[in-house]
Amino acid sequence: MATSSSCNWVFDVFPSFSGEDVRRTFLSHLLLSLDRKLITCFKDNEIERSQSIGLKLVHAIRDSRIAIVILSKTYASSTWCLNELLEIVKCKEDKGQIVIPVFYGLDPSHVRKQTGEFGETFQMICKNRSDELPDLWKGALTHVANIHGYHSDNWNNEAHLIEDITNDVLGRLVTLTPSMEFADFAGIEDHIAKMSVLLQLESEEVRMVGIWGPVGIGKTTIARALFGRISRHFQSSIFIDRAFVSKTMEIFRTANPDDYNMKLRLQECFLSEILNKKDIKIHHLGVVGERLKHKRVLVVLDDLSDQLVLDSLVGGTQWFGCWSRILVVTKDKHVLRAHGIDRIYEVGLPSDELALDMFCTYAFRENSQRDGFNELASEVAKFAGNLPLALNVLGLYLRGRDKEDWLDMLPRLRKGLDGKIKKALRVSYDGLGCKEDKSLFRHVACLFNGMEANDIKMLLADSGLDVSIGLKNLIDNSLIHERGSCVHIHCLVQEMGKEIVRTQSNKPREREFLVDSKDVCDLFNGNSGSKKVIGISLNLEELYELLRIDKRAFRRLRNLRFLRICKDSLDLHKQVRLHLPGGLDYLSPKLKLLCWDGFPLPCLPSSFRAEHLIVLRIRNSKLEKLWEEVESPTCSEDMVGVPDSVQMLNELYMNDCESLLTVLPTGINLESLYRLDLSGSSRFRSFPYISTNISFLILNQTDIKEVPWWIENFSRLVCLEMWECKRLNYISPNISKLKLLEKVDFSNCGALTDASWLDRPNVETHTKLPALSFINCFKLDQEALIQQSVFKYLILPGGKVPSHFTNQATGSSLVIRLLQSSLSKQLLGFRACLVVDANEPKSKISSWIISCHLTGKDRSSFRSSDCQLDIELPRQMDNHLVIFDCCFPLNKDNDSLAELSYDPVDVEIKFTSDSCCEIKGCGVHCFSDKQLSNVCEADKSNMVTAEEFGKSSAAARRRRKRLRVTGKTIQESTDLSGSQTVEKRWMYV
């Protein structure tokens, strides 16, 4: 069947009727109403007399999008009308024509069953006919009478009936003529598909849904496209933008924000628009609910930031009739939360490919690159940071210009934001409620982009800024976003923040932060100091000439708290154009953050009192040690070489410092230090004893030979990384005493042979199970490791499933058989082994789904469960084994499956990974009761019961979908009667 929108239609409406009385009254009024709406109708009195009326009518029916069949008491008396009806039903089935029946003074059941006066008339017309037409007519009448239409007896006023039919026709025509207004917005269909899930138009409940995202991300475009697409489903619809609100509230500019008359005015204008009636006057704030509570309406409030407007116009779902939808578009998430809107669509940035398509659409009027402009187009799209607003502005700016113009204009684009983009982005910043949040934003834009939120809180702990609340406010206002535990800011929003700092003064030394290389160089090379500069961020990639810094330069920056001299490039070994020819004799004691890539000296100045230093990051430097040896009367002999002021240091990074031999003297305990990273410091040999409170110890690519016995003192250690420590050959068994240890990575430690330290006889006392990685460690005793250890997961080299796994198969699935005795258990537990190839994963974390499907001897399915495991795959690896433990439920509420006639039961176990991994083979070893008990007791802190997810999974159970929880399992199962149940059991993977 062809769809209604795919045919070439001549008329919008074909009216089928019988009798001059209907023509002169009801039909004439209906045609006049349709004409006023610019709806084209076929009119039989316009037929040229020289043509056959019958043939003309057939063509008219076939060329009309909609057929309105006006069924009156005399309709069945006309064979002409009945034959029209046959053609209409045929067009409905063959061409998707829409049929709207109108039962004019007639009971629909009389048409459906051919009874009453209508039935008697119909019997008379069929009398004495021997052909098949009576049966065809009868079928057509029944078919049309079963279509939902209009019964005139349900309307007291015929004018209202005609108005409703006209609006219905108009709405259906809008449906059949999809808007092309937003066809150029690449990715719009994906946005609409995601929004449809939240809107659930098939649900009778009233729903409020939010669209949230930063300025320029495309929120309004999505909302308008959606409005044009779905407004036909509603009796009334309205799109309220900022202009509507501003015009309505203009006379109340000086009024109290909670002015009652202002709220009345808002509601009056709102009702006038949505009801299409001018100058509605109301006298109390309950009128909106009274007038709309029985109407199915669509309300879109765009670019909303005022809570009062939201409360006044769409105070609650009870104000609107069933099926209504309220859509609120905002850059401030708090507005949605405060109104109780929890269905929120967060608009994200388009992918690189999609962003390039969008830019090309604006620049070249087509979504593909033009020959000779490929690299230039990609560069501009990258500069725009994939932000749709910037892609639009820059695309239109460059449209029609030749390649030479593009090349001439790119330097100008790199220097600063386009005025339109800057103005749009500035709105969110200006809308922040307090100066503290604005200050926090400037800190993030100039210094802290990409930093962990906890680090930002520590660095600004004594700043007077409420950082925890402030970060939430910045996220709600779409100025920053969180990715994992880190805070990130879009490149154009960051540039806007830097521009705000630049406007603080024409003199760089009078600003709070210096972020431009020229300004930083001028400050270092000049003789004047600054009491106002508290932060410096210098990108070494921007230095095109050698920068020589006088050793006394930092004495002129007494209030400096944050110093970042960094390289954006991943090539840390690239020559640095910064020298300290006279050394360095001073750094501000107020420094909290010190990051200096390529630090050119063998140690920090001995005069540096780092009493406030929290984060120290020095990569690819010439450091041999942190400080010159100093004697302090407050320090013991063992503290030689450490300033007594180092008390606040939380994080210490000394990556790729190839001259580094020692960090601090042995025996030092910096109680505040929880993260130490010495990765790439290839001459560093001694396992560092620096803090018993250390949580993250990253010693990759160092020259360390052993993990000593005193690692047991690191009771808070969570992560130990030592990959590519090629001389590492001994690990103390005391490492197994660390109860919080979650991750151990000894990949590419080729000298490592002994893994006996993993034998944990008292595993039930541990609250965490570690993830163990031994990529390319070929000398390990794998059999002992596989059989004795308990772990979250284990990665070993190997291209074949070991014999320990008695059930094996090629590919990613296998079937095991359970006998009667196994069915009496509560859980099915097994250790799984997969042979895996991983090829350059885009993310370090690879997600794996393990499905367990139980089938009876009659091949009937009676239970399914699945779970998800996240595994870190930091590097490409070929032919490696990934091993982990799984538990699945076998019975419910102690009702044993063994009592049912399911002996044997086939269990299909299927393993699925993301696209970066190929599963070449799999194996399973089923646990004994004791092994199963050990596994289940090993880490109950990592497990959850289905009860805890009962509410959130209720909808999923109704849809009979499986529920997955990362790192844990929540199982849904179907019992023999087909009802949905949730297992109340501990699950672990």
Short mmCIF file of all heavy atoms in Angstrom, two decimals, residues 21 122 143 169 197 223 238 356 425 483 511 526 552 568 767 788 940 948 986:
data_model
loop_
_atom_site.label_atom_id
_atom_site.label_comp_id
_atom_site.label_asym_id
_atom_site.label_seq_id
_atom_site.Cartn_x
_atom_site.Cartn_y
_atom_site.Cartn_z
N ASP A 21 -30.81 18.35 -0.17
CA ASP A 21 -30.97 18.98 1.14
C ASP A 21 -29.65 19.01 1.90
O ASP A 21 -29.32 20.00 2.55
CB ASP A 21 -32.04 18.25 1.94
CG ASP A 21 -31.76 16.77 2.08
OD1 ASP A 21 -31.05 16.20 1.21
OD2 ASP A 21 -32.22 16.17 3.07
N PHE A 122 -31.70 0.50 2.23
CA PHE A 122 -30.65 -0.29 1.60
C PHE A 122 -31.20 -1.59 1.01
O PHE A 122 -30.84 -2.01 -0.09
CB PHE A 122 -29.54 -0.59 2.62
CG PHE A 122 -28.41 -1.41 2.06
CD1 PHE A 122 -27.50 -0.86 1.16
CD2 PHE A 122 -28.26 -2.75 2.40
CE1 PHE A 122 -26.46 -1.61 0.63
CE2 PHE A 122 -27.23 -3.51 1.88
CZ PHE A 122 -26.33 -2.95 0.99
N HIS A 143 -17.46 -1.44 6.76
CA HIS A 143 -16.07 -1.00 6.92
C HIS A 143 -16.01 0.46 7.33
O HIS A 143 -15.29 0.83 8.29
CB HIS A 143 -15.32 -1.23 5.61
CG HIS A 143 -13.88 -0.84 5.66
ND1 HIS A 143 -12.90 -1.70 6.07
CD2 HIS A 143 -13.25 0.34 5.37
CE1 HIS A 143 -11.73 -1.09 6.03
NE2 HIS A 143 -11.92 0.15 5.59
N VAL A 169 -9.45 17.94 9.69
CA VAL A 169 -8.90 17.82 8.33
C VAL A 169 -7.59 18.59 8.21
O VAL A 169 -6.60 18.09 7.65
CB VAL A 169 -9.93 18.33 7.29
CG1 VAL A 169 -9.29 18.42 5.91
CG2 VAL A 169 -11.14 17.42 7.25
N VAL A 197 10.80 8.90 22.86
CA VAL A 197 10.82 7.94 23.97
C VAL A 197 10.38 8.62 25.26
O VAL A 197 9.65 8.03 26.07
CB VAL A 197 12.24 7.35 24.13
CG1 VAL A 197 12.30 6.44 25.35
CG2 VAL A 197 12.64 6.58 22.88
N ALA A 223 13.26 21.64 19.37
CA ALA A 223 11.91 21.88 19.88
C ALA A 223 10.97 22.30 18.76
O ALA A 223 9.81 21.85 18.68
CB ALA A 223 11.95 22.95 20.97
N ILE A 238 0.76 25.55 21.27
CA ILE A 238 1.36 26.88 21.32
C ILE A 238 2.86 26.74 21.54
O ILE A 238 3.31 25.89 22.31
CB ILE A 238 0.72 27.72 22.44
CG1 ILE A 238 1.31 29.14 22.46
CG2 ILE A 238 0.88 27.05 23.80
CD1 ILE A 238 0.60 30.07 23.43
N LEU A 356 30.81 18.12 10.78
CA LEU A 356 31.36 18.51 9.48
C LEU A 356 30.24 18.59 8.44
O LEU A 356 30.22 19.50 7.60
CB LEU A 356 32.43 17.51 9.05
CG LEU A 356 33.21 17.86 7.77
CD1 LEU A 356 33.88 19.23 7.89
CD2 LEU A 356 34.25 16.78 7.48
N LEU A 425 26.98 33.04 23.80
CA LEU A 425 27.55 32.26 24.89
C LEU A 425 27.58 33.05 26.19
O LEU A 425 27.49 32.46 27.28
CB LEU A 425 28.97 31.82 24.52
CG LEU A 425 29.10 30.88 23.32
CD1 LEU A 425 30.57 30.56 23.06
CD2 LEU A 425 28.32 29.59 23.54
N ARG A 483 32.56 14.64 33.02
CA ARG A 483 32.83 13.40 32.29
C ARG A 483 33.60 12.50 33.25
O ARG A 483 34.77 12.72 33.52
CB ARG A 483 33.63 13.68 31.03
CG ARG A 483 33.74 12.49 30.08
CD ARG A 483 34.62 12.84 28.89
NE ARG A 483 34.14 14.03 28.21
CZ ARG A 483 34.93 14.88 27.55
NH1 ARG A 483 36.24 14.67 27.53
NH2 ARG A 483 34.43 15.93 26.94
N ARG A 511 44.94 41.94 35.89
CA ARG A 511 43.91 40.89 35.79
C ARG A 511 44.17 39.79 36.82
O ARG A 511 45.28 39.67 37.33
CB ARG A 511 43.90 40.29 34.39
CG ARG A 511 43.69 41.31 33.27
CD ARG A 511 43.94 40.68 31.92
NE ARG A 511 43.98 41.69 30.86
CZ ARG A 511 44.50 41.46 29.65
NH1 ARG A 511 45.02 40.26 29.37
NH2 ARG A 511 44.50 42.41 28.75
N GLY A 526 59.35 41.88 31.92
CA GLY A 526 59.31 43.26 32.41
C GLY A 526 59.85 43.37 33.82
O GLY A 526 60.25 42.39 34.46
N ARG A 552 64.63 35.94 39.30
CA ARG A 552 63.88 36.71 40.27
C ARG A 552 62.48 37.08 39.79
O ARG A 552 61.76 37.81 40.47
CB ARG A 552 64.66 37.99 40.63
CG ARG A 552 65.98 37.75 41.36
CD ARG A 552 66.70 39.05 41.65
NE ARG A 552 67.10 39.72 40.41
CZ ARG A 552 68.22 39.46 39.75
NH1 ARG A 552 69.06 38.55 40.21
NH2 ARG A 552 68.52 40.10 38.64
N ASP A 568 50.11 21.15 25.43
CA ASP A 568 48.92 20.44 25.01
C ASP A 568 49.27 19.21 24.19
O ASP A 568 48.54 18.23 24.14
CB ASP A 568 48.01 21.36 24.19
CG ASP A 568 47.38 22.44 25.07
OD1 ASP A 568 47.35 22.24 26.30
OD2 ASP A 568 46.93 23.46 24.52
N THR A 767 36.80 -6.94 51.36
CA THR A 767 35.63 -6.20 50.91
C THR A 767 35.72 -5.78 49.46
O THR A 767 34.77 -5.27 48.91
CB THR A 767 35.44 -4.95 51.77
OG1 THR A 767 36.61 -4.16 51.71
CG2 THR A 767 35.14 -5.34 53.20
N GLN A 788 43.24 -21.03 41.60
CA GLN A 788 43.27 -20.73 43.02
C GLN A 788 42.80 -19.31 43.35
O GLN A 788 42.38 -19.05 44.47
CB GLN A 788 44.69 -20.91 43.56
CG GLN A 788 45.20 -22.33 43.48
CD GLN A 788 46.61 -22.47 44.02
OE1 GLN A 788 47.13 -21.54 44.64
NE2 GLN A 788 47.22 -23.61 43.81
N LYS A 940 30.35 -8.96 48.76
CA LYS A 940 28.95 -8.58 48.78
C LYS A 940 28.76 -7.07 48.67
O LYS A 940 27.69 -6.60 48.34
CB LYS A 940 28.29 -9.08 50.06
CG LYS A 940 27.91 -10.55 49.99
CD LYS A 940 27.02 -10.95 51.14
CE LYS A 940 26.57 -12.39 50.99
NZ LYS A 940 25.70 -12.83 52.10
N GLU A 948 16.33 -3.53 45.48
CA GLU A 948 16.85 -2.17 45.47
C GLU A 948 16.57 -1.47 44.16
O GLU A 948 16.60 -0.26 44.08
CB GLU A 948 18.36 -2.19 45.74
CG GLU A 948 18.70 -2.75 47.11
CD GLU A 948 20.19 -2.94 47.27
OE1 GLU A 948 20.94 -2.29 46.53
OE2 GLU A 948 20.60 -3.75 48.11
N TRP A 986 21.55 -12.57 45.71
CA TRP A 986 22.80 -11.86 45.45
C TRP A 986 23.39 -12.35 44.14
O TRP A 986 23.49 -13.54 43.91
CB TRP A 986 23.81 -12.11 46.57
CG TRP A 986 23.45 -11.46 47.85
CD1 TRP A 986 22.99 -12.06 48.97
CD2 TRP A 986 23.50 -10.06 48.15
NE1 TRP A 986 22.76 -11.15 49.96
CE2 TRP A 986 23.07 -9.91 49.48
CE3 TRP A 986 23.88 -8.93 47.43
CZ2 TRP A 986 23.00 -8.68 50.11
CZ3 TRP A 986 23.81 -7.70 48.06
CH2 TRP A 986 23.37 -7.58 49.37
#
